[in-house]
Amino acid sequence: MRPAARTGDNPVVRENSAVGSDQWSVGHDGTKGVNDALAQVQGYASATSVSHGESISFHIASHTSQTCTVAIYRVGHYGSVGARHLLTSEPVQVKPRRKPESRAATGLIACDWPVSWTVEIPKTWVSGLFLAVFTSKDGHRSYTPFVVRELERRSDVLMVVPFTTYQAYNMWPLDGRTGKNLYKGYTADGKMGGNPERAFKVSFDRPYMQSGFPRWFDMETSTARWAEGAGYDVTYASSIDLHEGRIDPSLYTAIVFSGHDEYWSKEMRDWGQDAVEAGTHLAFLASNNIYFHIRLEAGADGLPGRVVTCYKEAPDPEPGEGGPTVRWRNLGKKHRKAEQGLMGVQYNGILKEPAPLVVRESKHWLWSGTGLRDGDEIPDLIAVEADGYNPSMPRPADSEQTLLSASPYIDSWGRGRTVQNTSLCEDTRGTLIFVAGTFHWPLALSHPEHLNPHVQRATSNLINRMLEPRSKH
């Protein structure tokens, strides 16, 4: 039986009692933003995550030879301020760097910029979601995120940050000529193309486009700030950590996938299955998770996990042990590896415009204390992409499934009415797998433009239930 939860008395709570700072944002001290075409100041990190005693390096370029500082902030609640300043580097020299051309066969764009600044992670830095803030002497500012992990600490909750999906959507450089991601690239006349122009491989050895915030990064910041404000005992990892086998899932009572976690390797999928078999609860707070099968490969310098490979509809020249890099639901016979087999629901469409979540099973404990009844609507909660239950696909074995919403929406593909489902599966040992099934769920936890008390209460009910001691396990 697992021990009682440490909510309210743990390193995260003590960390969040420190004084917060909002000085990281563009506009403070007269700072200005950046764009890929001018590349006023941009950089990338040598790793997506790092442990105490290890070092992380930043490779930075500027539009002119000058100095730059690197400030490190930890994202959290901090009395609603949202982050804490930890240190700022001495000025470091930066200068213009070449934007590499994409490789003809794969579309890969990888920088070989030298290291500008390195920091060793002190033991006093509590595991979390961190920002490196690059500020040039001429007043421009950009960012890159990373995670500090604590493999030696057994926390109640592990939050996984979806760096593989961040990189899949990274269009750097978004300059009208060079940039590519796993969806699109530029045509010869400088227009944004589609599949014919896209890359099959994308590299972490490049900045994230424009400001340096990955697409949908606010899902992670919203979830982290809410969870830490609620006092949960949480540590953090990146999706690369799952792939590399650094994380033992049995050490955690619950694992939360806070955002859009679309791109999974075989190793990541095996890790997720191992977590369930270990009796660890899983909570997917967004939608369209585990959709594309990927390989993670070494970069040009031999460092592992620096290249995300996904051929999708194109022939995969090196399928490997995990099979070709296609949609998970297209691997194996009779869709036996479809993502619904692990999660209980799966991606079923892109929304033309936001739609309300329509409540089902309102007497279920998830909705307890919300005051909601069957058929009640939470406005605009179903947005961007949605999940639903598909009876023709596999579902988690030996489990009872409850669909907690049935929300009709108009699909942007013109297929008409589609239905979103929020799902909860519980196996015979009491292990829970929750899927919110929409992009706006994590934003509703603390993002000021999406805040919703019903979602906050339901998510608290979920995490608190997951953290209850179990005799079944």
Side-chain angles (χ1 to χ4, degrees):
M1 191 169 97
R2 294 183 186 272
R6 299 178 62 198
T7 304
D9 180 21
N10 57 65
V12 170
V13 170
R14 294 189 286 276
E15 165 65 22
N16 276 268
S17 68
V19 176
S21 172
D22 62 0
Q23 298 296 304
W24 54 271
S25 59
V26 169
H28 277 288
D29 299 323
T31 52
K32 298 162 284 190
V34 306
N35 61 68
D36 291 354
L38 297 178
Q40 296 94 336
V41 62
Q42 293 184 312
Y44 59 93
S46 60
T48 61
S49 69
V50 63
S51 291
H52 293 152
E54 296 180 350
S55 294
I56 187 167
S57 297
F58 300 96
H59 308 249
I60 311 167
S62 174
H63 64 134
T64 185
S65 293
Q66 60 177 322
T67 59
C68 163
T69 59
V70 185
I72 304 296
Y73 286 78
R74 185 185 181 279
V75 175
H77 188 259
Y78 301 105
S80 298
V81 177
R84 178 190 175 203
H85 174 252
L86 294 170
L87 63 81
T88 299
S89 73
E90 294 296 319
V92 297
Q93 289 294 137
V94 291
K95 65 180 185 179
R97 300 291 177 185
R98 180 183 62 87
K99 290 180 183 177
E101 296 293 327
S102 62
R103 296 183 188 173
T106 64
L108 180 73
I109 298 171
C111 300
D112 59 357
W113 301 348
V115 170
S116 303
W117 184 72
T118 300
V119 62
E120 183 177 305
I121 306 302
K123 291 184 178 179
T124 54
W125 287 10
V126 174
S127 177
L129 181 59
F130 285 69
L131 281 177
V133 183
F134 311 124
T135 305
S136 62
K137 187 175 182 179
D138 65 1
H140 291 92
R141 176 168 286 176
S142 66
Y143 310 85
T144 201
F146 65 98
V147 161
V148 170
R149 54 185 187 249
E150 288 186 53
L151 303 183
E152 71 281 4
R153 184 160 83 81
R154 180 172 186 156
S155 62
D156 292 336
V157 178
L158 177 73
M159 180 169 145
V160 179
V161 182
F163 278 86
T164 52
T165 300
Y166 290 166
Q167 200 52 251
Y169 283 91
N170 184 15
M171 194 68 191
W172 187 92
L174 192 71
D175 59 0
R177 189 182 75 84
T178 310
K180 291 179 183 287
N181 63 17
L182 293 182
Y183 294 87
K184 57 187 70 175
Y186 291 105
T187 60
D189 58 0
K191 295 180 179 178
M192 186 64 72
N195 269 332
E197 291 77 31
R198 72 179 182 88
F200 301 134
K201 296 175 184 276
V202 289
S203 173
F204 284 102
D205 291 321
R206 58 179 182 153
Y208 291 105
M209 62 185 184
Q210 306 290 72
S211 69
F213 287 124
R215 191 176 183 191
W216 295 112
F217 182 66
D218 49 1
M219 291 187 186
E220 273 63 58
T221 58
S222 179
T223 303
R225 287 166 178 156
W226 171 82
E228 298 201 2
Y232 291 115
D233 177 30
V234 56
T235 54
Y236 295 73
S238 80
S239 47
I240 307 297
D241 293 321
L242 309 194
H243 173 85
E244 297 290 346
R246 297 188 185 104
I247 309 295
D248 179 354
S250 69
L251 294 180
Y252 309 97
T253 305
I255 297 167
V256 172
F257 299 90
S258 50
H260 180 35
D261 211 335
E262 182 178 357
Y263 287 80
W264 281 48
S265 66
K266 176 185 183 297
E267 291 83 354
M268 292 167 64
R269 178 73 179 263
D270 290 346
W271 185 94
Q273 199 65 55
D274 289 345
V276 175
E277 291 173 4
T280 302
H281 306 294
L282 305 182
F284 295 87
L285 297 186
S287 58
N288 192 8
N289 301 294
I290 323 182
Y291 186 60
F292 279 113
H293 174 227
I294 61 170
R295 285 193 303 278
L296 276 163
E297 300 170 357
D301 56 4
L303 285 176
R306 298 300 286 175
V307 174
V308 179
T309 297
C310 190
Y311 279 82
K312 300 185 179 179
E313 298 84 5
D316 187 340
E318 300 178 88
E321 179 187 353
T325 49
V326 297
R327 291 168 179 80
W328 275 100
R329 62 187 67 175
N330 294 336
L331 277 173
K333 297 179 179 178
K334 298 182 179 179
H335 308 291
R336 64 185 179 88
K337 293 187 179 180
E339 58 271 34
Q340 184 171 282
L342 175 61
M343 296 187 295
V345 290
Q346 63 186 37
Y347 170 64
N348 68 1
I350 298 176
L351 279 84
K352 188 173 183 179
E353 57 186 13
L357 180 140
V358 182
V359 173
R360 280 186 53 173
E361 305 290 345
S362 58
K363 294 183 179 179
H364 190 276
W365 54 257
L366 183 92
W367 298 122
S368 177
T370 64
L372 295 168
R373 298 183 179 183
D374 283 13
D376 283 353
E377 297 182 349
I378 303 178
D380 295 336
L381 188 58
I382 311 305
V384 188
E385 295 179 335
D387 292 344
Y389 175 68
N390 186 333
S392 68
M393 294 288 181
R395 53 183 297 276
D398 302 320
S399 65
E400 179 180 338
Q401 184 172 24
T402 306
L403 299 180
L404 293 151
S405 71
S407 314
Y409 69 89
I410 302 300
D411 192 304
S412 65
W413 295 331
R415 298 185 305 180
R417 184 178 179 272
T418 310
V419 176
Q420 176 273 352
N421 299 121
T422 297
S423 169
L424 185 77
C425 293
E426 182 172 0
D427 70 14
T428 53
R429 299 179 302 165
T431 305
L432 303 174
I433 302 174
F434 172 81
V435 182
T438 169
F439 273 34
H440 277 187
W441 188 288
L443 299 181
L445 293 174
S446 70
H447 193 290
E449 295 177 14
H450 298 274
L451 198 65
N452 187 282
H454 297 314
V455 176
Q456 290 177 317
R457 179 58 187 264
T459 311
S460 293
N461 291 341
L462 173 71
I463 303 301
N464 294 341
R465 183 75 167 222
M466 287 180 164
L467 297 184
E468 288 180 358
R470 274 187 294 163
S471 56
K472 291 182 180 179
H473 173 234

